Amino acid sequence: MSEAAGSGELRAEGLSFRIGSSELLRDVSIDVRPGRVTAVLGPNGAGKSTLLRLLSGDMHPSAGRVTLDERPLHEWKPQTLALRRAVMPQSSTLTFPFTALQVAALGRIPYTTGLGTARDHAVALGALARAGADHLSHRLYPTLSGGERQRVDYARALAQVWSAEVPGARYLLLDEPTSSLDLARQHELLDSVRSFAQEGVGVFIVLHDLNLAAEYADEVTVLREGAVVCCGPPRAALTASLVERAFSLRVLVTSHPRSGRPIIVPDPTRDGASTPDPGLPATPSLM
Amino acid sequence: MSSAAQSLPRRAPGAASLAAERAPLVVLGVMLLGTVVVCLCVGAVPVAPGQVAAVLASAIGVELPWAFGEREALVILQIRAPRILLGVLVGGGLAVSGALMQGLFRNPLADPGLVGASSGAALAALTLLVIGGPLVALLPGPLAGAALSLAAFGGGTLAVIIVYRFATNGGRTSVTTMLLSGIAMNALAAAGVGMLVFISNDAQLRDFTFWSLGSLGGVTWSRLGAGALLLCLGLALAPLLGRSLNALLLGEVEARHLGIPVQRTKAMVIFLSTLTAGAAIALTGIIGFVGLVAPHLIRLAIGPDHRVLLPASILLGGTLLLSADLVARTVASPAEMPIGIVTAFIGAPFFLWLLSRDPAGRAQL
């Protein structure tokens, strides 16, 4: 199934990013491997989106480097890169009255020169279906709700890396793709992400919900104040002590009765501390 | 959410929908052609369609069985044909220039005037009319005849270049800064125009007023010249930007993720928009409304896909301007009304009516 084994990876090594005197990321390394879902977690302002923007090549790191197939990202031609990886932004600024189908078809831009082909059209429809948005295909994008837009944006990203049309693994970078979705839709979308990954696509996903990450990610990286607190498979990385260190919130970690994956619930009553101070440093002593 | 691996819908409805994408261009092409025929026939000297065909055929050495006189041949070939070509090119140029700017600014209200193309041209034209007389007198004949066109083209282009330079820093153009410096440029040019109006005499003022209302009148093949060539170039190149503009509507970062060279696209959009609007204004004076309305009508009817929108705007812009010119030259015949009056008088109420019915709800967006 996975075309990817041994065909390289999207890798960040020792990334730091500074704007003026504030350091948004500090010595962060992460591997996004084909066929795997890599989630990044962390409190607000931890540097999750900054990491995504460095991995996508929007910004250049102050130190460290990002490579795709062991070649620095900035050496790739944008047109070639667009055939290999798609990025789904947190929100879209599109205000022109495209239909949802047209928006999904915009993901085919790297493959077309003139008007779209029948295949592009079919891919856009297929991507909408996998995003659970096929019933929206003829609705105008600006009239959709936030959650509906999010699924259409996701479909656009899927359409861009729909199948292996050039050599090398494909990558999908998603910035909080479930932030406007209801519970059922969150799971639908992440289920689709996982099945896409199983086709050999490397997925990097920024998430807020620890339990979604625990359920769907193969690897998680937890950031706090621009630095990595922990990384590894969810079961190893999402322990109570590490989560408490990252989020300054007392939590209880149990495991899912069927999947055995970790479940994290806040436990503010313990020790009487109800309002954790985000300014506090790590509190391992509470364990 | 289907999880079946790369399965596409079995019966891809692609072909039908692709034909639907191209159909508007065919319809608009036929409309433009029909308008051209009507414009060839109607006027102070009415010519029957058969005679028009015979005149045009005889011009390329083919005999057709319709009799026509010297007078009809002269009217068709020397008066109406160049005027119609001018109308098609200028209408198409204004419309595509508006469509390009609206795409770049991601705002359906944008037009080249926003970044100084019209006000720069107006200032330069008025400068020439009011204080440029002695300079024109020094120029050789053909150049003197084209002095107003050259001044308008130069003024409009210069204004946009200045605005573009202000908005470009370290090789990146900020669209927002362009908009703001465009506003400043327009204010400055308006002040300059006011100053010149203040010192101008009645004749100069009247010339300028008519120039600023636009006209396709008095055009000959030789006067089409370089302006028409520039317009042809712009009209041929602009539709190639459709794909990139579609991507830019998502945002600059998103467009880059789709592999679009964003800065080059922005520079090309500004260049072609200025070229087409500048050449159009140079040939006919300022004709409002077409650049705003033609792309808007297309978006209302078939949506904002710039791969179709750009060529469709050209066809519709040509049709609209020819129709307006038909009214301008017949309504007060033998006198000619400035075409800008017609485009606004007919165009604005029609546009309002269209907004009020708006079947797809697109205007609400």
Side-chain angles (χ1 to χ4, degrees):
Chain A
M1 189 85 189
S2 169
E3 76 221 65
S7 72
E9 58 197 342
L10 181 60
R11 163 179 278 179
E13 290 165 277
L15 292 189
S16 295
F17 187 74
R18 227 172 268 108
I19 291 183
S21 63
S22 62
E23 197 167 34
L24 301 184
L25 276 186
R26 196 163 58 249
D27 194 24
V28 173
S29 297
I30 195 168
D31 287 346
V32 183
R33 283 199 288 269
R36 313 278 285 172
V37 177
T38 304
V40 63
L41 297 160
N44 294 331
K48 303 185 295 293
S49 294
T50 305
L51 179 56
L52 183 133
R53 295 180 68 186
L54 292 173
L55 277 177
S56 66
D58 292 345
M59 305 188 305
H60 297 296
S62 317
R65 61 179 203 154
V66 181
T67 56
L68 173 62
D69 295 351
E70 285 162 17
R71 210 173 125 201
L73 206 58
H74 61 85
E75 286 181 11
W76 287 82
K77 278 169 58 182
Q79 295 92 315
T80 318
L81 209 52
L83 302 171
R84 295 280 307 277
R85 68 102 180 81
V87 184
M88 174 184 169
Q90 242 178 64
S91 62
S92 161
T93 54
L94 182 65
T95 53
F96 275 52
F98 281 108
T99 64
L101 180 61
Q102 285 175 314
V103 172
L106 291 178
R108 300 303 293 174
I109 280 179
Y111 302 89
T112 56
T113 46
L115 291 176
T117 64
R119 171 168 164 76
D120 293 330
H121 188 88
V123 167
L125 277 175
L128 281 174
R130 283 189 80 165
D134 38 350
H135 61 292
L136 303 172
S137 64
H138 293 288
R139 295 268 309 277
L140 295 178
Y141 183 87
T143 67
L144 299 177
S145 76
E148 289 169 332
R149 285 184 198 200
Q150 211 156 29
R151 276 176 280 157
V152 175
D153 290 344
Y154 174 62
R156 176 170 69 78
L158 287 187
Q160 191 180 338
V161 289
W162 184 252
S163 56
E165 299 185 33
V166 291
R170 293 163 285 149
Y171 295 89
L172 197 53
L173 311 184
L174 309 168
D175 197 352
E176 294 188 30
T178 57
S179 59
S180 305
L181 302 181
D182 63 45
L183 191 62
R185 296 297 190 183
Q186 291 178 4
H187 286 274
E188 267 183 15
L189 189 135
L190 288 172
D191 200 49
S192 143
V193 167
R194 188 161 60 186
S195 83
F196 210 63
Q198 280 160 1
E199 289 160 25
V201 176
V203 178
F204 175 86
I205 183 167
V206 175
L207 283 175
H208 256 302
D209 188 320
L210 300 177
N211 291 314
L212 286 177
E215 179 67 31
Y216 291 97
D218 299 304
E219 318 273 342
V220 300
T221 292
V222 182
L223 297 180
R224 182 196 162 114
E225 287 168 7
V228 175
V229 175
C230 57
C231 63
R235 225 179 289 220
L238 296 178
T239 63
S241 65
L242 291 170
V243 170
E244 287 178 1
R245 245 174 74 196
F247 290 88
S248 307
L249 172 71
R250 288 170 182 84
V251 297
L252 194 73
V253 178
T254 166
S255 68
H256 191 286
R258 268 188 288 280
S259 73
R261 296 218 174 209
I263 294 178
I264 299 106
V265 285
D267 189 15
T269 54
R270 199 182 57 195
D271 214 5
S274 55
T275 47
D277 180 357
L280 278 181
T283 53
S285 59
L286 287 170
M287 275 313 292
Chain B
M1 215 171 287
S2 130
S3 64
Q6 311 306 340
S7 71
L8 295 174
R10 280 251 166 259
R11 282 179 303 119
S17 127
L18 286 178
E21 274 180 16
R22 290 172 175 87
L25 294 179
V26 177
V27 172
L28 287 164
V30 171
M31 271 173 58
L32 178 59
L33 217 59
T35 313
V36 167
V37 171
V38 171
C39 287
L40 282 168
C41 296
V42 176
V45 179
V47 185
Q51 287 179 306
V52 169
V55 169
L56 293 179
S58 78
I60 55 168
V62 179
E63 288 293 324
L64 289 182
W66 285 281
F68 60 88
E70 194 76 356
R71 195 164 121 96
E72 278 86 10
L74 188 75
V75 166
I76 296 290
L77 294 176
Q78 298 307 322
I79 298 177
R80 286 188 197 157
R83 183 165 182 150
I84 285 167
L85 182 64
L86 178 70
V88 172
L89 291 177
V90 167
L94 292 171
V96 84
S97 155
L100 288 170
M101 280 295 167
Q102 291 163 17
L104 178 69
F105 285 102
R106 288 188 262 157
N107 186 331
L109 297 178
D111 75 1
L114 211 58
V115 290
S118 320
S119 61
L123 179 59
L126 187 57
T127 306
L128 188 82
L129 289 171
V130 175
I131 55 176
L135 184 72
V136 175
L138 295 176
L139 293 172
L143 220 50
L148 192 60
S149 292
L150 289 172
F153 186 75
T157 315
L158 187 67
V160 179
I161 289 173
I162 292 171
V163 166
Y164 179 75
R165 290 295 293 272
F166 264 102
T168 307
N169 235 321
R172 293 186 65 162
T173 308
S174 156
V175 168
T176 314
T177 312
M178 252 199 111
L179 192 69
L180 292 171
S181 35
I183 289 172
M185 177 58 68
N186 282 336
L188 197 64
V193 167
M195 190 73 157
L196 289 163
V197 164
F198 180 63
I199 62 167
S200 65
N201 62 36
D202 283 358
Q204 292 161 344
L205 197 56
R206 187 177 159 80
D207 281 349
F208 175 69
T209 305
F210 274 98
W211 179 83
S212 69
L213 288 169
S215 168
L216 301 185
V219 68
T220 59
W221 288 113
S222 59
R223 281 188 54 190
L224 275 177
L229 281 180
L230 286 180
L231 272 172
C232 285
L233 182 73
L235 296 186
L237 293 179
L240 301 179
L241 291 172
R243 192 177 73 110
S244 310
L245 272 176
N246 278 347
L248 266 187
L249 291 182
L250 289 169
E252 292 185 15
V253 170
E254 286 76 11
R256 211 168 283 121
H257 291 157
L258 287 167
I260 300 296
V262 170
Q263 182 59 28
R264 203 168 77 206
T265 301
K266 285 195 280 192
M268 274 305 281
V269 166
I270 292 159
F271 170 72
L272 287 177
S273 176
T274 309
L275 181 74
T276 48
I281 293 170
L283 285 168
T284 61
I286 294 176
I287 301 176
F289 222 62
V290 175
L292 178 69
V293 165
H296 216 90
L297 292 179
I298 301 290
R299 272 195 301 273
L300 286 175
I302 58 173
D305 183 345
H306 280 67
R307 293 170 306 174
V308 182
L309 176 68
L310 293 173
S313 294
I314 293 175
L315 295 172
L316 184 64
T319 307
L320 290 179
L321 201 68
L322 276 190
S323 311
D325 187 46
L326 190 64
V327 174
R329 65 191 169 88
T330 53
V331 72
S333 175
E336 274 189 20
M337 194 185 266
I339 190 170
I341 298 177
V342 182
T343 54
F345 250 138
I346 299 180
F350 174 70
F351 189 50
L352 286 174
W353 171 75
L354 207 92
L355 289 178
S356 71
R357 52 187 295 273
D358 184 26
R362 287 190 162 114
Q364 261 50 248
L365 302 171

